[in-house]
Amino acid sequence: MASSASFTSPLCTWLVAACMSFTCERDPQQLPVLRPCHSSSKRLSRRRKIVSKYCGGGGQLNLNGSLVSSFCGSSIQGLMSSCLAFEPCNEYYSSKGSISSLGFFSDNALSSFFGSKNYRQLGEAMAVAVQPAKEVATKKKPHTKQRRVVVTGMGVETPLGHDPDVFYNNLLEGVSGISEIERFDCANFPTRIAGEIKSYSTDGWVAPKLSKRMDKFMLYMLTAGKKALADGGITEDVMNELDKARCGVLIGSAMGGMKVFNDAIEALRISYRKMNPFCVPFATTNMGSAMLAMDLGWMGPNYSISTACATSNFCILNAANHIIRGEADVMLCGGSDAAIIPIGLGGFVACRALSQRNNDPTKASRPWDINRDGFVMGEGSGVLLLEELEHAKKRGANIYAEFLGGSFTCDAYHMTEPRPDGVGVILCIEKALAQSGVSREDVNYINAHATSTPAGDIKEFQALIHCFGQNPELRVNSTKSMIGHLLGASGAVEAIAAVQAIRTGWVHPNINLENPDEGVDTGVLVGPKKERLEVKAALSNSFGFGGHNSSIIFAPYK
């Protein structure tokens, strides 16, 4: 009884406060009265006494104009009905709504709240609400012009270069960054190739002490992030002028610090005393984003999203939304991964996901080609500097492109396989178009997810044709044909490729597309050489294990 009372009292207090705060705003004479349904005056009197008892006072509970939800069929029914001075009507008991849709009172929430799963199945619920007057709603949330988001800086660490221009020029020339793995002996693996970064330095970007301790996914993220700032003209003087409470970092990782964690396990075989004291924080996917924010002193939104190979797109869209909602003016966003280590390679080999074309590495990644036999692992990082338009103009920033919007959906089908009907991808693309206000005809360039897997390439292509098949100007390519699959970093690196296409007016080729799959219309695919294209709107897709779908859209700034 003591625990029940301790819960009931604050709940009733909240209900009374909610009722009073609403009724105080308007004339009680103008409000409709919520009347009891089929309840006797005795019952009302009794329940008013109970309200007085549990709410800690003798005041009456004013129900005029309040928002009330009632619950039945569980232990919470008595609790709620004790606090409310009316009986639910018959229509309530026949309501079709499910209580689980209310979130807080779902099965899991109740289980964790009461510490037990031994409660009866929750019944149905009906909410009775009074709509506030139009002028009240306007006062609470005034209409404001939507803030526009632009790209003002880019930073990369890839197998094809550590500068956005070098990286994109190599893509335009059809250079492959895939080769034999040199970092460790993989002679016993059926796959011995990857998009490995051969030369990398943190000099001038990361303190030597941290550089020795951090996992590479963090180092790639830190250097790419700082390069994006430098590319965006955020000098030390500009940095001092920024409101750091309105600057944030949202950079994710699919795999996190696998090397740090694996080394800790090996050390534990000897003794826990041999373990790196930073093994836990440096293995988590959020720590790179957090360390970058600490380095910059940025106190705005800071976290990491991990949705497998769709990670970067999720981070980019959420970062843009922080700016649109007025929660930030500047955001660093993207993704980073460094999983080319024995456990990473072995894990994907066990999934039977990787190409085994070891004798000809540069030909191994071949999206849409009939002889594709799996994707090629890559590593690196891509970071975009997103900025609110007026903020960027005020400081005289160079604007590369405008971010228009995007969308997420879930296949809800299989851990690694795409839906056979492609509905999840189609829905994602259509929602992205609707959210960004872009018509199908305006999208004339798509940087596809296209990883070089048998099922994934075809299903995505079919979805693209379903959505854009009537557009004669459409051109589609896959950056992964040259750098492999950078996992959680792929979306950001490909978004940078899309922005570079907008900037330069050139789209890069699809290499290794020698024998197109019979289900592919080569008329929409970029050929083996770069092509001139005036991009109206560019869409970039990323999909991840778990059925995560994401589409984001960029366009020239006008």
Side-chain angles (χ1 to χ4, degrees), residues 107-126:
D107 291 2
N108 291 339
L110 281 171
S111 174
S112 61
F113 192 88
F114 293 107
S116 171
K117 291 187 177 180
N118 297 322
Y119 53 86
R120 286 179 289 173
Q121 180 65 35
L122 294 173
E124 297 173 326
M126 181 185 75

Side-chain angles (χ1 to χ4, degrees), residues 358-478:
N358 299 307
N359 296 327
D360 198 358
T362 62
K363 299 283 188 181
S365 185
R366 42 198 317 114
W368 300 299
D369 190 85
I370 198 167
N371 294 314
R372 64 192 182 280
D373 65 333
F375 75 83
V376 178
M377 287 182 69
E379 64 177 352
S381 179
V383 177
L384 292 89
L385 178 64
L386 298 185
E387 199 165 347
E388 194 272 325
L389 175 60
E390 297 305 320
H391 187 277
K393 288 165 65 176
K394 185 177 180 180
R395 70 176 186 87
N398 185 19
I399 297 173
Y400 296 143
E402 182 171 2
F403 179 82
L404 298 184
S407 179
F408 316 130
T409 61
C410 178
D411 272 355
Y413 172 73
H414 190 273
M415 282 191 296
T416 59
E417 294 295 318
R419 282 183 70 101
D421 57 12
V423 169
V425 175
I426 292 171
L427 180 61
C428 186
I429 293 171
E430 290 179 342
K431 287 177 66 177
L433 293 172
Q435 194 272 341
S436 58
V438 175
S439 67
R440 297 169 188 259
E441 295 74 22
D442 285 338
V443 176
N444 62 342
Y445 171 54
I446 296 174
N447 191 299
H449 182 63
T451 61
S452 188
T453 55
D457 289 10
I458 290 297
K459 293 306 173 186
E460 181 185 13
F461 188 83
Q462 291 171 346
L464 294 178
I465 294 301
H466 174 89
C467 295
F468 305 102
Q470 303 303 312
N471 187 349
E473 298 181 4
L474 183 65
R475 309 304 291 154
V476 180
N477 62 11
S478 172

